[in-house]
């Protein structure tokens, strides 16, 4: 970590470890929400309150597999609603990120995380649980759209790959933290599931605050026509006054992106994109 931080200071004075930490929270939140549901749905207090049928199946079926015990469509809806909402919201997040900037998307993602967490932690019926999970899915869609893009925009070229891999690592760390918390809260006599679900509010609050504190990226400013502000931010990132060459490269890339028509149609119809599309679609199935 010290080596990476020194490299960041040398390559990009504007990109501090606090900036990176704030952005990795998006991956941490995704991993936490991904891992927390499995432990919570196996807690007896949670099941007896919201899914009594599953709780009865667990007590009555001694020799059945775990699949048979948890074979309940309402319970499956609670778990899968996050992923469905994330899928749908990611399309809206791409438009918001492009038109209004990365910070707005991060704010929406953090706020959705926070509200969804509160719904789940204080739930009194299944409807509140589902609404909370849907809001968490919106948070995942927006955070996963804006956070890697922000890191790529702000990071120097030599560290860009490492920082984006760090986002993926943050997801796995979030899953680990969720499982450790579930292990501890399962020992509580009451409301352990509320603690597990509610602790996601801590990084969500930090993410919302970070969306106000962190600077905008030069690429995002250029996409919205703020050329002077983009040049000033690029100077801070590069730590130099003369950034004419880099700034022109960004302008050229921005103009080239604006000239692309029917991106979704091109993605499916142009042969050069098909290998990448096939791999990206097939990898999640494995």
């Amino acid at each position: 970590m010290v080596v990476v931080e020194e490299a960041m200071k040398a390559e990009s004075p504007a990109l501090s470890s606090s900036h990176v930490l704030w952005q990795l929270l998006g991956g941490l939140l995704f991993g936490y929400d991904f891992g927390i549901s499995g432990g919570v749905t196996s807690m007896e207090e949670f099941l007896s309150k919201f899914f009594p049928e599953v709780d009865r199946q667990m007590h009555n079926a001694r020799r059945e597999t775990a699949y048979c015990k948890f074979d309940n469509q309402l319970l499956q809806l609670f778990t899968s609603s996050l992923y469905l909402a994330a899928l749908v919201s990611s399309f809206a997040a791409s438009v918001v990120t492009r038109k209004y900037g990365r910070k707005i998307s991060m704010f929406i993602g953090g706020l959705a995380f926070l509200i969804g967490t509160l719904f789940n932690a204080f739930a009194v019926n299944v409807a509140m649980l589902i609404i909370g999970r849907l809001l968490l899915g919106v948070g995942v869609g927006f955070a996963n759209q804006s956070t890697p893009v922000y890191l790529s925009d702000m990071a120097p070229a030599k560290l860009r790959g490492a920082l984006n891999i760090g986002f993926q690592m943050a997801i796995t760390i979030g899953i680990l933290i969720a499982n450790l918390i579930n292990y501890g809260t399962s020992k509580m006599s009451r409301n352990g599931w509320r603690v597990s679900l509610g602790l996601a509010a801590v990084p969500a609050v930090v993410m919302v605050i970070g969306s106000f504190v962190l600077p905008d990226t030069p690429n995002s400013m250029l996409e919205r026509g703020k050329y002077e502000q983009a040049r000033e931010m690029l100077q801070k990132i590069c730590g130099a006054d003369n950034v004419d060459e880099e700034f022109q490269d960004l302008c050229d890339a921005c103009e080239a992106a604006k000239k692309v028509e029917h991106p979704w149609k091109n993605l499916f119809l142009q042969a050069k994109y098909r290998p990448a599309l096939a791999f990206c679609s097939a990898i999640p199935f494995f």
Side-chain angles (χ1 to χ4, degrees), residues 3 18 39 56 87 91-92 95 131 148 152 163 166 173 182 185 198 260:
V3 175
S18 60
R56 285 194 298 271
L87 175 63
F91 293 102
V95 177
I131 292 172
S152 297
L163 292 176
I173 293 175
N182 277 335
T185 56
V260 176

Side-chain angles (χ1 to χ4, degrees), residues 87-122:
L87 175 63
V88 175
S89 64
S90 62
F91 293 102
S94 64
V95 177
V96 173
T97 302
R98 184 176 64 255
K99 289 189 175 182
Y100 302 103
R102 288 61 162 143
K103 293 180 64 176
I104 295 296
S105 284
M106 288 189 292
F107 171 75
I108 295 174
L111 187 62
F113 267 124
L114 181 59
I115 298 175
T117 297
L118 294 177
F119 263 89
N120 279 345
F122 295 100

Side-chain angles (χ1 to χ4, degrees), residues 44 65 136 256 275:
E44 186 172 349
T65 64
L136 290 173

